[in-house]
């Protein structure tokens, strides 16, 4: 059996540092600092071959290489190592920088240098035996490079827009009150011709009306605002600053368009089509961006893993805690700041399109808007999540999206369901489309949880309730996600733990245990000792009697109180 050797490589811009350990964690060869060049890579190859010769020739050694990635500096190195694997027994793993840092701190303490980083990586490779990274083909590497460049340009455009806001706050503050989009074409043309409120105030109505794409309804309000403006900055220097900002914005906008075209070209050059662009709302650009950052859908075994990867989920926002450790003030949910900003930006635009053209997203949007008529952005956020679930399903099955596969606008309670709808954790009030998580992926797009529209009949204190029927409709995972507990849960399987939401509002401890497959929970703190099912959990968190909690669940999740044609009551 070949002997294992750990090789740790600390990566930097101009060169790398490698450490070599035997399986007894002792040095196998001298450490090596080598340049990011053909000569440096040849030095590294020679060092590996030296170790092979020392230990009996070919077949006597196997190398476990761990690369500590620093930005994009490891791309060439990883490509070289993967090509080297054709002639030498090599397994390459590429670690998360934070995980590598934590391991190094645990083993070597506060010491930090290139040799220490390399030794820690080599030791990690031998002791932890991380899974080998999947090689990425050249077409995907090119797609990722273009997507990374597009992300940088989009961030630059955002910074320029913010700078324009700050500048116009001095030269024409009222403009931001008349239009939300200061980067719109007509706005840029307007302030390029009339960069300050003082200049615009001197223009005639016909001159302003000749601005390209400027809506006629804005002409009179613009002139009125300019003539009564409170702007505190004008003059030749201020005018040049505004015009320069406009030139930069136009230039970066053109660069963004060129990169989008290049991105789509790289996407279509991929060896296999993942059919993401067949989902209504997701165009070629968004499909290419999702593909570039997902890389391989097999990295994710569940659609919610993908949702969390991109941060399209709500997080609870509250200010402070009281003396009992309970959150103060009204609780609210905001979109998580985790994930990739480029993906989230384009997904938002895709969701705006999908609410009109995608039947799955439109049905969900309608239902959420009915509950939050004053906050339609919440429904768009749910639409973003729905699109991720659909992307997961389409890519996993390898078949294009079929809008007629499921009657999306049919209420979930119109036909009896033989099985629980889903055990997928969802954001507040959302039911998602994707693959059924209970069975292996089938070669078709299925609904993980059919859409449910509000009931026509009102729910009041006299409404008959069937607790068992309610629990069959409502997985515990859905309630946990609605309460904002999903991001806190820890554990690899159906058994998860976190701080108890019933008696600990400060998020400390892990006494609260949930069993997602059995839809049950229990708090192991003797002072609390709460346990039960979804209705018990809702009653405990909301401080309600069981029947009131069941009624509240019916209203919140639009459930069917009891099977049709029955008068069974509980509570």
């Amino acid at each position: 059996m070949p002997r294992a050797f750990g090789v740790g490589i600390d990566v930097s811009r101009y060169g790398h540092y490698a450490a070599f350990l035997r399986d007894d964690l002792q040095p196998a060869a001298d450490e090596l600092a080598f340049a990011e060049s053909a000569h440096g890579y040849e030095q590294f190859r020679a060092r590996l071959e030296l170790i092979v010769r020392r230990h009996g020739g070919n077949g006597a050694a196997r190398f476990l290489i761990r690369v500590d990635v620093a930005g994009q500096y490891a791309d060439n190195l990883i490509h070289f190592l993967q090509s080297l694997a054709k002639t030498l027994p090599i397994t390459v793993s590429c670690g998360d920088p934070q995980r590598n840092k934590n391991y190094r701190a645990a083993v070597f303490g506060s010491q930090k240098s290139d040799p220490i980083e390399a030794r820690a990586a080599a030791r990690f490779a031998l002791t932890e035996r991380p899974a080998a990274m999947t090689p990425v083909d050249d077409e995907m590497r090119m797609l990722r490079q273009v997507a990374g460049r597009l992300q940088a340009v989009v961030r630059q455009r955002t910074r320029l827009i913010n700078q324009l806001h700050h500048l116009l706050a001095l030269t024409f503050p009222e403009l931001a009150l008349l239009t939300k989009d200061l980067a719109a074409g007509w706005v840029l043309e307007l302030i390029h011709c009339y960069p300050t409120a003082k200049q615009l105030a001197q223009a005639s109505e016909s001159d302003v009306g000749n601005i390209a794409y400027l809506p006629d309804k804005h002409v009179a309000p613009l002139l009125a605002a300019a003539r009564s403006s409170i702007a505190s900055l004008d003059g030749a220097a201020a005018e040049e600053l505004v015009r320069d900002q406009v030139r930069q914005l136009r230039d970066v906008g053109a660069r963004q368009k060129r990169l989008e075209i290049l991105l789509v070209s790289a996407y279509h050059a991929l060896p296999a089509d993942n059919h993401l662009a067949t989902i209504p709302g997701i165009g070629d650009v968004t499909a290419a961006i999702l593909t570039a950052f997902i890389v391989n859908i097999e990295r994710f075994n569940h659609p919610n893993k993908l949702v969390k990867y991109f941060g399209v989920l709500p997080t609870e926002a509250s200010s402070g805690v009281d003396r009992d450790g309970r959150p103060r003030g009204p609780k609210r949910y905001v979109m998580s700041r985790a994930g990739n900003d480029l993906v989230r930006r384009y997904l938002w635009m895709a969701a705006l399109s999908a609410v009109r053209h995608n039947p799955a997203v439109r049905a969900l949007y309608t239902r959420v808007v009915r509950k939050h008529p004053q906050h339609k952005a919440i429904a768009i956020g749910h639409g973003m999540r729905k699109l991720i679930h659909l992307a997961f399903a389409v890519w996993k099955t390898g078949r294009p999206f079929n809008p007629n596969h499921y009657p999306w606008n049919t209420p979930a309670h119109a036909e009896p369901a033989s099985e629980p709808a889903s055990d997928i954790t969802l954001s507040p009030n959302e039911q998602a489309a994707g693959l059924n998580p209970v069975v292996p992926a089938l070669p078709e797009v299925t609904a993980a949880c059919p859409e449910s529209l509000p009931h026509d009949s009102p729910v009041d204190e006299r409404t008959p309730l069937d607790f068992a029927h309610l629990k069959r409709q409502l997985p515990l995972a859905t309630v946990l996600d609605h309460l904002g507990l999903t991001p806190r849960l820890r554990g690899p399987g159906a058994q998860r733990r976190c701080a108890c939401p019933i008696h600990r509002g400060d998020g400390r401890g892990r006494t609260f245990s949930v069993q997602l497959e059995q839809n049950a929970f229990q708090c192991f703190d003797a002072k609390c000792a709460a346990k039960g099912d979804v209705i018990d959990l809702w009653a405990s968190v909301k401080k309600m009697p069981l029947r009131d909690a069941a009624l509240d669940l019916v209203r919140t999740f639009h459930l069917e109180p009891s099977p049709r044609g029955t008068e069974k009551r509980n509570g």
Side-chain angles (χ1 to χ4, degrees):
M1 182 176 178
R3 188 173 185 181
F5 292 88
V7 181
I9 305 178
D10 183 59
V11 177
S12 62
R13 182 190 295 271
Y14 301 112
H16 318 298
Y17 194 95
F20 309 89
L21 296 180
R22 301 194 306 252
D23 51 8
D24 60 359
L25 303 183
Q26 296 303 310
D30 293 338
E31 295 176 354
L32 175 67
F34 61 100
E36 173 77 352
S37 65
H39 176 66
Y41 283 9
E42 188 57 37
Q43 286 181 300
F44 180 78
R45 180 205 296 269
R47 188 60 53 86
L48 295 183
E49 292 173 346
L50 173 63
I51 295 174
V52 170
R53 290 195 301 271
R54 284 180 177 177
H55 294 274
N58 291 336
R62 180 167 60 97
F63 296 101
L64 307 177
I65 301 180
R66 180 73 169 178
V67 181
D68 187 12
V69 177
Q72 299 296 316
Y73 305 146
D75 283 358
N76 290 333
L77 177 62
I78 291 173
H79 187 256
F80 167 75
L81 292 174
Q82 290 173 345
S83 65
L84 197 60
K86 298 175 183 177
T87 58
L88 289 172
I90 289 176
T91 299
V92 182
S93 66
C94 190
D96 172 44
Q98 186 60 48
R99 186 179 183 185
N100 289 350
K101 179 180 178 181
N102 293 342
Y103 184 84
R104 185 258 304 160
V107 176
F108 294 96
S110 59
Q111 302 178 64
K112 187 180 185 304
S113 64
D114 289 351
I116 293 296
E117 299 280 3
R119 292 167 200 161
R123 186 185 180 100
F124 185 92
L126 282 171
T127 59
E128 302 297 328
R129 301 296 173 98
M133 65 181 299
T134 304
V136 179
D137 54 48
D138 291 342
E139 292 84 0
M140 179 61 75
R141 291 179 64 217
M142 178 56 68
L143 179 68
R144 287 177 58 80
Q145 288 296 321
V146 178
R149 189 60 196 150
L150 176 62
Q151 185 174 27
V153 169
V154 169
R155 287 174 177 173
Q156 182 183 7
R157 184 172 183 268
T158 300
R159 286 194 296 270
L160 290 172
I161 292 174
N162 291 338
Q163 291 169 4
L164 181 62
H165 270 274
H166 297 156
L167 191 56
L168 290 177
L170 300 175
T171 60
F172 191 8
E174 293 80 7
L175 182 58
L177 303 178
L178 298 175
T179 177
K180 295 181 179 179
D181 185 9
L182 291 183
W186 70 265
V187 176
L188 295 181
E189 184 63 24
L190 173 72
I191 59 179
H192 186 266
C193 295
Y194 307 103
T196 65
K198 184 176 181 180
Q199 273 206 337
L200 181 59
Q202 297 171 357
S204 66
E205 190 168 321
S206 60
D207 289 338
V208 176
N210 289 331
I211 298 293
Y213 307 113
L214 193 158
D216 292 338
K217 63 179 182 180
H218 288 326
V219 174
L222 282 169
L223 287 173
R227 289 164 183 167
S228 61
S229 176
I230 60 169
S232 60
L233 194 65
D234 58 38
E239 294 167 9
E240 182 54 32
L241 283 176
V242 173
R243 289 194 173 106
D244 179 69
Q245 199 70 21
V246 170
R247 286 192 291 268
Q248 291 186 63
L249 262 174
R250 285 175 169 170
D251 177 64
V252 78
R255 290 166 59 198
Q256 181 177 340
K257 293 295 183 184
R258 290 195 297 269
L259 284 171
E260 287 177 349
I261 294 172
L262 185 60
L263 184 74
V264 171
S265 176
Y267 174 63
H268 289 310
L270 292 176
D273 186 4
N274 56 17
H275 304 293
L276 295 191
T278 66
I279 301 173
I282 295 182
D284 283 344
V285 176
T286 306
I289 290 171
L290 286 172
T291 303
F293 290 100
I294 295 174
V295 183
N296 183 358
I297 197 61
E298 298 306 323
R299 297 167 57 202
F300 306 91
N301 59 9
H302 194 285
N304 270 2
K305 299 289 186 182
L306 194 56
V307 168
K308 292 176 182 177
Y309 180 67
F310 289 130
V312 185
L313 71 165
T315 57
E316 182 181 312
S318 58
S319 180
V321 295
D322 60 21
R323 293 183 179 180
D324 297 324
R326 299 183 183 279
R328 290 176 175 169
K331 293 183 181 180
R332 59 191 178 90
Y333 291 90
V334 299
M335 187 72 79
S336 168
R337 294 183 179 272
N340 185 285
D341 56 343
L342 184 70
V343 172
R344 290 152 62 92
R345 176 185 295 272
Y346 279 84
L347 264 181
W348 176 268
M349 301 304 296
L352 291 175
S353 174
V355 297
R356 295 190 176 189
H357 306 292
N358 189 313
V361 177
R362 183 170 59 245
L364 172 62
Y365 177 83
T366 301
R367 179 170 61 84
V368 177
V369 165
R370 287 183 181 178
K371 186 169 184 181
H372 304 281
Q374 304 302 320
H375 302 284
K376 293 184 178 180
I378 294 176
I380 297 298
H382 288 309
M384 293 168 63
R385 182 170 183 145
K386 175 75 77 178
L387 287 175
I388 293 180
H389 275 260
L390 293 175
F392 178 90
V394 166
W395 197 342
K396 276 279 188 180
T397 60
R399 298 184 64 179
F401 176 78
N402 179 6
N404 300 317
H405 179 77
Y406 181 83
W408 304 101
N409 292 306
T410 301
H413 53 80
E415 298 179 1
S418 58
E419 297 180 357
S422 174
D423 63 355
I424 296 178
T425 54
L426 303 173
S427 61
N429 311 320
E430 180 186 358
Q431 293 172 305
L435 290 176
N436 190 329
V438 180
V439 297
L442 301 175
E444 60 184 5
V445 179
T446 62
C449 192
E451 297 305 329
S452 178
L453 299 177
H455 296 281
D456 295 330
S457 57
V459 177
D460 54 31
E461 298 299 324
R462 297 171 297 176
T463 300
L465 294 177
D466 184 332
F467 281 15
H469 186 64
L470 292 182
K471 289 183 282 188
R472 283 195 295 269
Q473 300 174 71
L474 188 61
L476 178 63
T478 303
V479 175
L480 293 171
D481 211 30
H482 185 94
L483 295 173
L485 298 177
T486 301
R488 304 182 192 175
L489 293 174
R490 296 292 180 269
Q495 189 80 29
R496 310 285 181 88
R497 302 189 73 163
C498 70
C500 181
I502 300 170
H503 79 281
R504 289 302 296 261
D506 56 1
R508 297 180 180 177
R510 297 181 65 181
T511 62
F512 183 74
S513 175
V514 297
Q515 171 49 256
L516 298 179
E517 292 179 353
Q518 299 176 11
N519 290 316
F521 78 95
Q522 181 173 357
C523 178
F524 291 98
D525 189 306
K527 296 179 180 178
C528 179
K531 62 180 180 179
D533 50 38
V534 287
I535 301 177
D536 297 308
L537 176 62
W538 197 262
S540 298
V541 172
K542 300 293 184 179
K543 309 300 181 187
M544 294 178 173
L546 277 180
R547 178 173 171 78
D548 292 346
L551 286 170
D552 195 40
L553 285 172
V554 170
R555 300 186 188 100
T556 302
F557 295 95
H558 306 294
L559 305 178
E560 187 179 37
S562 59
R564 293 178 179 271
T566 67
E567 291 297 328
K568 183 176 180 180
R569 295 175 182 265
N570 284 294

